[in-house]
Amino acid sequence: MLVKISTDRTRSANFLMLMFAIVLIIGGLASEFFQAPLSQNTALSRYQLLIKPEQIDQIESIQLDNRLGEFKINKDKSNQWTLTSPRNLPSNTTTVANILNNLKEIKIRQILPKDTINISNFSLDSPLMKIKITYFGGKENVLNIGLVNPIDNSTYVTFSNKEAIYHVDALKTSMEGLSLSNFIEPRVFTQELSSIDNLKIYRGKIPSTNLRLSVKSEGDRWLDQSGNTLEPKDVEDYLKEILNLKSALILDKRTEKLDDALERYFARPSYTAEIMNKDGEKVFYEVSYLINSLPDIKMEKRQTFIVKASNRPHPYVIEKQHLNMFSKSQRSFKKLSIKKLFY
């Protein structure tokens, strides 16, 4: 009798295990069958974004009002951004990229009524920031941003004339502390190393000048004018030095006297640099001698020089220790043979 009871319990346990396995299989098949397709999930995620990706590509200008002032940047047909207010200067590429990334990644958590109580509670009656977006074609949107909730890292915004308040993720990069210095691009050269096809530096003014240096990209090699292979690390270190050249003074506010002085300096420049990118676009840079003085500007005698770029509206004043980077010769980058390394 004891053996029979034990056998019955074993059969019952096996039956329950079998039923449990069947339920798991059916549940797994049902889950796979009813799961939303990936494309549908991707499409639905677009509705969580306040501004769609295709709208970001169509932005022509952005005006940002924060506690430090009002700043406006404009994009031209070649996709280059320029600061147009409060000054007309080249805009910092990093700052522009951060603003655009912030706009394209605003995700909606919740939609709330746009009533007086909510507007006051979320500080939208006196917003922390205001961003006016203008698209190619003339359409405009205004984004008002309230205070950030540090507990869940979120904020509340109103967008254009929509009768709603959006509870959204806080902006990934803070913009309320951006000042004029953040919007100005201090770099003289606008290229990236990977985009450069060739660099030429001439002594004097083109065309009445002598070629001093020529480096050309070919795959993972750098060649001189005669097609000889150059030491790649030396060339790339030099190009990085050139591309990181920055100015502490941009001559955007000029008088007639200052323009006359600049014209005299650039009538006979010390060097002319030519950079062509992989799309065939060329930018020319004229480099002056060390200057004695400039009208209406206080500076020490022969401690600075000026660089004028063909793709920038204003010249840059550079400290004299950087002038020698333009005097590099072809010999500086010659690749050493194996034999010369041991003798």
Side-chain angles (χ1 to χ4, degrees):
M1 185 68 178
L2 182 61
V3 174
K4 183 179 180 181
I5 293 173
S6 177
T7 303
D8 290 342
R9 287 180 177 175
T10 301
R11 289 176 178 174
S12 299
N14 290 338
F15 177 75
L16 290 174
M17 289 294 293
L18 179 61
M19 292 299 295
F20 181 68
I22 292 172
V23 170
L24 285 179
I25 293 171
I26 294 173
L29 292 174
S31 175
E32 184 69 22
F33 181 78
F34 290 108
Q35 184 179 7
L38 180 60
S39 59
Q40 183 179 350
N41 287 337
T42 303
L44 290 174
S45 68
R46 287 170 49 83
Y47 292 99
Q48 295 179 339
L49 297 174
L50 188 63
I51 305 176
K52 304 298 183 292
E54 59 270 21
Q55 291 177 293
I56 298 293
D57 296 335
Q58 291 300 312
I59 293 177
E60 181 181 23
S61 71
I62 299 172
Q63 180 178 306
L64 171 66
D65 295 349
N66 64 12
R67 58 186 177 85
L68 295 178
E70 179 183 297
F71 311 98
K72 186 175 182 181
I73 54 176
N74 283 71
K75 182 172 67 174
D76 60 23
K77 293 181 180 179
S78 61
N79 292 328
Q80 295 294 319
W81 287 90
T82 302
L83 177 69
T84 55
S85 179
R87 305 271 289 273
N88 187 6
L89 292 166
S91 57
N92 188 298
T93 53
T94 301
T95 298
V96 173
N98 287 338
I99 293 174
L100 293 175
N101 287 333
N102 273 331
L103 293 177
K104 73 171 61 171
E105 295 179 5
I106 300 178
K107 292 184 178 180
I108 301 171
R109 296 187 182 185
Q110 189 180 8
I111 301 176
L112 303 169
K114 188 179 179 181
D115 54 36
T116 306
I117 296 176
N118 282 340
I119 288 175
S120 177
N121 287 341
F122 304 135
S123 299
L124 290 166
D125 49 352
S126 180
L128 184 67
M129 282 186 298
K130 182 182 290 187
I131 302 175
K132 182 180 179 182
I133 303 169
T134 304
Y135 303 91
F136 289 106
K139 181 182 176 181
E140 294 181 349
N141 282 325
V142 178
L143 180 67
N144 292 314
I145 302 174
L147 293 176
V148 174
N149 183 348
I151 298 175
D152 62 355
N153 196 34
S154 68
T155 187
Y156 296 87
V157 304
T158 58
F159 190 54
S160 198
N161 58 351
K162 296 184 182 297
E163 292 302 313
I165 294 176
Y166 298 93
H167 181 206
V168 301
D169 292 344
L171 302 181
K172 291 187 175 181
T173 306
S174 175
M175 297 195 297
E176 64 269 17
L178 292 178
S179 63
L180 180 60
S181 61
N182 297 115
F183 282 92
I184 297 174
E185 176 58 78
R187 293 192 310 156
V188 178
F189 295 85
T190 57
Q191 299 84 357
E192 299 297 330
L193 178 60
S194 60
S195 71
I196 294 178
D197 180 77
N198 66 68
L199 163 71
K200 295 179 181 178
I201 295 182
Y202 301 87
R203 182 71 178 175
K205 190 177 183 71
I206 294 177
S208 57
T209 184
N210 296 317
L211 181 63
R212 184 177 182 85
L213 174 66
S214 174
V215 294
K216 178 175 176 58
S217 171
E218 187 175 283
D220 57 354
R221 299 188 304 160
W222 291 96
L223 309 178
D224 65 12
Q225 188 181 20
S226 302
N228 300 314
T229 301
L230 302 174
E231 184 59 43
K233 185 178 184 305
D234 292 344
V235 173
E236 291 179 6
D237 286 346
Y238 172 68
L239 291 176
K240 288 176 184 177
E241 183 184 7
I242 285 276
L243 297 178
N244 287 327
L245 182 63
K246 296 180 179 179
S247 170
L249 177 62
I250 302 175
L251 301 176
D252 63 312
K253 294 184 176 181
R254 303 200 298 272
T255 62
E256 186 175 344
K257 288 183 179 180
L258 179 54
D259 280 336
D260 290 341
L262 291 173
E263 187 175 347
R264 288 195 301 273
Y265 279 120
F266 287 114
R268 296 182 61 191
S270 180
Y271 302 100
T272 301
E274 172 193 319
I275 295 181
M276 185 171 78
N277 65 20
K278 295 188 186 325
D279 294 328
E281 297 175 349
K282 293 182 180 180
V283 181
F284 296 89
Y285 301 85
E286 292 186 334
V287 182
S288 76
Y289 293 90
L290 293 178
I291 61 177
N292 291 323
S293 63
L294 286 173
D296 308 316
I297 297 176
K298 293 182 179 180
M299 58 176 56
E300 294 185 45
K301 187 176 180 179
R302 297 186 61 80
Q303 295 301 306
T304 57
F305 64 98
I306 314 168
V307 177
K308 182 175 68 172
S310 62
N311 66 339
R312 295 289 183 85
H314 310 297
Y316 294 82
V317 178
I318 313 292
E319 295 177 351
K320 75 172 185 178
Q321 65 265 27
H322 299 295
L323 184 58
N324 60 4
M325 71 171 59
F326 296 97
S327 64
K328 289 276 189 181
S329 66
Q330 207 74 53
R331 295 189 303 273
S332 305
F333 308 105
K334 282 195 173 180
K335 197 176 183 69
L336 295 177
S337 66
I338 297 296
K339 290 182 179 180
K340 288 184 178 181
L341 290 175
F342 293 97
Y343 292 95

